[in-house]
Amino acid sequence: MNLTGTITLAHGSGGRAMHQLVDDLIRSTFSNPLLEEGEDQARIPLAALVAQGDRLAFTTDSYVVTPLEFPGGNIGTLAINGTVNDLAVGGAKPLYLSCGFIIEEGLPLETFARILQSMRLAADEAGVQIVTGDTKVVQRGGADKLFINTAGVGVIPAGFNPSAGSAQVGDVVIVNGWLGDHGAAILNARGDLALEADIESDCAPLNALVEAMFAACPDIHCLRDATRGGLATVLNEFAERSHVDMVLKEEFLPIRTPVRGMCEILGLDPLYLANEGKLVAVVPISAAQAVLAAMKRIPAGYHACIIGTVVEGDGHVILQTAFGGERIVDMLPGEQLPRIC
């Protein structure tokens, strides 16, 4: 397909131009046996699913990030990895994704093709297939370049049941590495602040990491990916639903110097910055070292560390500062950074 032009309304009209876009660009990029059947739905054999677990996990998310492309990824890699990670932190093995595009008239075909290719590479890395989808084109101004919706299906093996309400007094809190990179990268990529910082998004699939963690400790109590709202939001959800307090040590928090510096300049709190390749786990203290060792053997977990503990309480997150004081880390009352995913 000639990629020198732009998306037109004809590409969403149902006619020859749309079929050319779908067949010659989208389907050819995502090619796999289920997609090649060319039906309006993916037909997935149940036997293969049942053999891998006793429950289905199903999730969906929409992506409106701006800019479309940024250091460390783009809206396409974000869509694949975000949906894969939502399945993985529920204990599921991600298998199949759907993908819906809402494209603004005028988007360069070359840009769209580049994003599609990155989605294919991300799907291959995560071991999932894009098996069905939809494409719509809206007039100029009807959207902002490109929005993507992805839904995902996975299978949860018997015995895996992490839950936000399962934290227990004495547990430890683990993260798999540097916090706040994605939010800082998006803010910097927008170019509004003229800041010179070399920050890349942490966008990455976490399913291999989660699989290693469950192999080390099938009884992981809580597990979430720290996306919008960052670490603080996830821990508040854990604390409230489990009716405990989470106590963090400021000196244990892994935050890169450029991210910390950007936050100091702009008055932002890195605990609320979005991540796209970070998870938060609450595990029994007896299993903490085994889980950490397993995480550090996976690239996404090289920098895993314990950042806090679970204590008796009534649903608060408490940060013990480097100066010996304490402060409550509450749920973010508003939006710190819009359209970061």
Short mmCIF file of all heavy atoms in Angstrom, two decimals, residues 56 201 224 231 249 276 305:
data_model
loop_
_atom_site.label_atom_id
_atom_site.label_comp_id
_atom_site.label_asym_id
_atom_site.label_seq_id
_atom_site.Cartn_x
_atom_site.Cartn_y
_atom_site.Cartn_z
N LEU A 56 -11.59 -17.19 33.00
CA LEU A 56 -11.20 -16.20 32.00
C LEU A 56 -11.02 -14.85 32.66
O LEU A 56 -11.78 -14.48 33.57
CB LEU A 56 -12.26 -16.08 30.91
CG LEU A 56 -12.32 -17.13 29.82
CD1 LEU A 56 -13.46 -16.80 28.86
CD2 LEU A 56 -11.00 -17.20 29.05
N SER A 201 9.78 6.75 28.45
CA SER A 201 8.68 6.00 29.05
C SER A 201 9.16 4.60 29.42
O SER A 201 10.02 4.01 28.76
CB SER A 201 7.51 5.89 28.07
OG SER A 201 6.54 4.98 28.53
N ARG A 224 -1.06 -4.90 41.27
CA ARG A 224 -1.62 -3.94 40.31
C ARG A 224 -0.49 -3.30 39.53
O ARG A 224 0.63 -3.17 40.01
CB ARG A 224 -2.39 -2.82 41.04
CG ARG A 224 -3.73 -3.22 41.63
CD ARG A 224 -4.84 -3.19 40.59
NE ARG A 224 -6.10 -3.63 41.16
CZ ARG A 224 -6.98 -2.82 41.76
NH1 ARG A 224 -6.72 -1.54 41.88
NH2 ARG A 224 -8.11 -3.30 42.23
N LEU A 231 1.91 5.27 41.90
CA LEU A 231 2.05 4.41 43.07
C LEU A 231 1.07 4.78 44.17
O LEU A 231 0.46 3.91 44.81
CB LEU A 231 3.48 4.52 43.60
CG LEU A 231 3.78 3.82 44.92
CD1 LEU A 231 3.74 2.31 44.75
CD2 LEU A 231 5.14 4.28 45.48
N LYS A 249 8.91 4.00 53.09
CA LYS A 249 10.14 4.69 53.47
C LYS A 249 10.62 5.51 52.28
O LYS A 249 10.90 4.98 51.20
CB LYS A 249 11.22 3.66 53.83
CG LYS A 249 10.92 2.85 55.08
CD LYS A 249 11.30 3.62 56.33
CE LYS A 249 11.27 2.70 57.55
NZ LYS A 249 11.66 3.44 58.77
N GLU A 276 3.96 2.89 32.99
CA GLU A 276 3.38 1.95 32.04
C GLU A 276 4.17 0.64 31.96
O GLU A 276 3.95 -0.15 31.05
CB GLU A 276 3.25 2.59 30.66
CG GLU A 276 2.18 3.65 30.56
CD GLU A 276 0.76 3.13 30.77
OE1 GLU A 276 0.54 1.90 30.62
OE2 GLU A 276 -0.13 3.94 31.09
N CYS A 305 12.50 -3.76 44.32
CA CYS A 305 12.92 -3.48 45.70
C CYS A 305 11.70 -3.40 46.60
O CYS A 305 10.57 -3.17 46.16
CB CYS A 305 13.72 -2.18 45.77
SG CYS A 305 12.82 -0.73 45.19
#
